[in-house]
Amino acid sequence: MVTSERGRIGRPREFDVDEALDDAMQVFWEKGYEGASLAELTAAMGITKPSMYAAFGNKEQLFRRAVERYTAGPASYGYRALEEPTAQEVTHALLHGAARATTLTERPSGCMGVQSALVTGDAGSPARSMLVDWRNDVLTRLRERFRRAAAEGDLPPTLDPDRFATYVMTVAYGIAVQAATGLSGEDLHGVADSVVAAVAWADDDT
């Protein structure tokens, strides 16, 4: 999507909204919601503050759009994982997806949805609440997927599907935190493998 921005001498300058959102996402991912200043955001996006307000609204609305772009892009592995045919493959895809997405060389380390609003003041409370809802949505979907797996006999009866979903998401977010502290992708993929290998899957013949 392309919109136009009027320059200082009155001539319109066009910018790509999707590219601008990608640039804003990068800043929020690296700096967090409160740490990302409007000056840093508009400089990264290559637009003026008036153009940012005109195209995206205020900072909170821009952040929401950036999270939507993050969800559809780097974090899309989570929703794709839910479509895997077995609970084991869901778990494998989710945890390895987390390890891969949080250690991309061209992106900040860690997870934007975890880091962006963990520490915020009153001004950042809407962003913090939005990300709590964002994380809870993924957990709810994973619980529903594992409940279906349990009903189909695809999870061992010793595993409570809700608790197992919470466990898997806790590991996934732990992977994101460890990535932000500098743990390598190789090590984090090893964590994912360890979790998958530790479960006595219902269809495991070993």
Side-chain angles (χ1 to χ4, degrees), residues 129-159:
S129 297
M130 184 189 69
L131 288 182
V132 168
D133 291 341
W134 181 83
R135 292 191 295 270
N136 285 340
D137 177 66
V138 180
L139 176 58
T140 297
R141 291 170 186 256
L142 187 60
R143 284 175 173 170
E144 291 171 351
R145 177 64 183 83
F146 283 162
R147 286 173 193 162
R148 177 161 63 88
E152 295 171 349
D154 185 38
L155 271 182
T158 54
L159 279 183

Side-chain angles (χ1 to χ4, degrees), residues 31-48:
K31 303 278 188 177
Y33 177 75
E34 286 195 344
S37 68
L38 286 178
E40 289 172 316
L41 288 164
T42 53
M45 296 162 74
I47 60 176
T48 63

Side-chain angles (χ1 to χ4, degrees), residues 50-188:
S51 293
M52 189 278 286
Y53 287 124
F56 304 106
N58 58 24
K59 181 181 177 181
E60 180 187 334
Q61 292 169 321
L62 174 63
F63 182 69
R64 288 180 180 275
R65 294 281 299 277
V67 171
E68 290 172 0
R69 188 158 183 82
Y70 177 75
T71 303
S76 60
Y77 68 88
Y79 294 100
R80 291 198 306 271
L82 299 175
E83 303 302 320
E84 294 291 338
T86 68
Q88 183 176 13
E89 290 171 290
V90 169
T91 304
H92 184 281
L94 184 61
L95 295 181
H96 279 284
R100 184 167 48 254
T102 58
T103 56
L104 295 171
T105 56
E106 70 274 16
R107 299 289 192 183
S109 298
C111 172
M112 178 183 171
V114 172
Q115 295 164 220
S116 289
L118 284 179
V119 181
T120 57
D122 291 342
S125 60
R128 183 173 61 247
S129 297
M130 184 189 69
L131 288 182
V132 168
D133 291 341
W134 181 83
R135 292 191 295 270
N136 285 340
D137 177 66
V138 180
L139 176 58
T140 297
R141 291 170 186 256
L142 187 60
R143 284 175 173 170
E144 291 171 351
R145 177 64 183 83
F146 283 162
R147 286 173 193 162
R148 177 161 63 88
E152 295 171 349
D154 185 38
L155 271 182
T158 54
L159 279 183
D160 177 274
D162 286 4
R163 288 185 179 179
F164 185 57
T166 301
Y167 167 65
V168 171
M169 290 310 307
T170 300
V171 174
Y173 292 136
I175 285 173
V177 172
Q178 292 284 26
T181 64
L183 207 62
S184 71
E186 181 180 0
D187 286 336
L188 295 172

Side-chain angles (χ1 to χ4, degrees), residues 1-6 12-18 20 47 51 54-56:
M1 175 191 251
V2 176
T3 188
S4 63
E5 176 188 349
R6 188 161 296 278
R13 180 169 65 84
E14 292 186 341
F15 71 92
D16 187 285
V17 170
D18 291 333
I47 60 176
S51 293
F56 304 106

